[in-house]
Amino acid sequence: MTHDKGPRDDRWYFSLMAPNTKGDKFAWLDPTSIYINGKAYHDLLDDLVADLDADEIDVVAGLDAMGFVLAAGIAARIGRGFLPIRKPGKLCVDTDQASMTNYSGQTQAMEMRLPAFAPGTRVLLVDQWVETGGTMHGAVQLVEQQKGKVAGMVAIVMEENDNTAEYRKKYKCVTAIQPGTEWQRQANAQYLESFKTYKPEMAFPV
C-alpha cells in the first residue's frame, strides 16, 4: 500500500536518523535507523532508484560496510549484481588495493576482488553517507585500476565541500537529501534539528 512520503525536499524518514551518542571517534550521526523501519527503508530505496537508469549501470558496488545495505537494495531493485568494496584483509581471493583518507582523517586502504569485472564495465558506487569524499575516492581508484567506468554515485546525502563538488561535476550523483534544501544545509553543519525530538522508538519496525 502506498503512502505519502512528504515533499521531495522533506521526506518523513529523514527524521528517523539518530544522533551520535558515543563521541568524536564515531560518525556524527547514524542513518541506519532508517533501515530498521520497513516503510522508511523502502521509501528511501524508491527515491534513490527513481533517479537511476538501469540501462546505464552494469553492476552496483557498495562501500564497506554500511554502503552494502543500500547497494544491495538498489541492485535488487534494478536487476543488477552487487559488488562489495571492502576494508583490507576481508576477502579470501586475490585483491586490488587503493589508499584513501576517511572522514576522521585516517589513511586507510580499500580492496576489491581481482578481477572483479571486464574492462569497460559501468559501476555504480554506493555509500551510506559521503562526508569528506575520501572513501569514495578510494572506490573510484579501484574501479579505474581495473579499467571500469564509474556510472555514478549514490548516498543518502553528500555533504558539500570541494571534493563532493568535483564528484557532482564529473559523475551523476543521486542523493535522498537534495542539494539546496534545508536538510542539506543541516547536513553540511553536521547537526540535524530533528535530533532534538529523536527517539529510538520512532524507527521501530511496524
Side-chain angles (χ1 to χ4, degrees):
M1 186 175 73
T2 59
H3 62 283
D4 184 13
K5 301 175 191 173
R8 188 68 180 83
D9 62 350
D10 188 24
R11 292 303 205 207
W12 74 275
Y13 58 82
F14 293 165
S15 62
L16 299 186
M17 294 187 286
N20 173 344
T21 59
K22 286 194 169 182
D24 292 344
K25 68 178 181 177
F26 294 91
W28 64 273
L29 87 168
D30 176 25
T32 64
S33 45
I34 292 176
Y35 312 151
I36 299 170
N37 182 290
K39 287 184 178 179
Y41 179 52
H42 286 278
D43 281 359
L44 170 61
L45 289 175
D46 285 347
D47 286 339
L48 297 176
V49 169
D51 292 335
L52 296 173
D53 183 349
D55 291 337
E56 298 175 353
I57 300 161
D58 297 317
V59 68
V60 181
L63 279 60
D64 198 341
M66 297 316 303
F68 294 172
V69 177
L70 291 182
I74 289 169
R77 287 281 189 97
I78 67 172
R80 296 295 182 266
F82 166 70
L83 169 66
I85 295 179
R86 303 226 56 183
K87 294 169 185 172
K90 302 294 186 181
L91 291 168
C92 62
V93 294
D94 292 340
T95 57
D96 208 2
Q97 189 172 103
S99 62
M100 56 84 184
T101 303
N102 68 13
Y103 66 88
S104 63
Q106 296 179 321
T107 299
Q108 293 182 335
M110 300 183 73
E111 291 185 340
M112 187 169 70
R113 65 190 304 119
L114 179 67
F117 44 72
T121 297
R122 300 166 300 176
V123 184
L124 181 70
L125 297 176
V126 181
D127 203 358
Q128 174 172 261
W129 196 273
V130 180
E131 190 170 326
T132 63
T135 306
M136 193 63 80
H137 177 67
V140 171
Q141 289 183 75
L142 287 169
V143 170
E144 293 180 345
Q145 282 168 197
Q146 294 199 29
K147 297 182 171 54
K149 297 179 180 179
V150 175
M153 297 178 177
V154 176
I156 296 174
V157 75
M158 283 189 173
E159 295 180 29
E160 294 176 333
N161 53 56
D162 290 343
N163 290 338
T164 57
E166 285 301 311
Y167 292 153
R168 288 195 178 277
K169 288 178 185 177
K170 191 171 182 181
Y171 307 111
K172 180 176 183 176
C173 294
V174 171
T175 55
I177 292 177
Q178 303 283 287
T181 64
E182 176 58 21
W183 282 99
Q184 178 73 63
R185 186 195 68 75
Q186 292 178 28
N188 294 341
Q190 298 195 336
Y191 181 81
L192 303 182
E193 290 296 320
S194 58
F195 288 168
K196 295 175 181 177
T197 55
Y198 172 80
K199 295 179 180 178
E201 294 80 4
M202 294 166 60
F204 283 3
V206 292

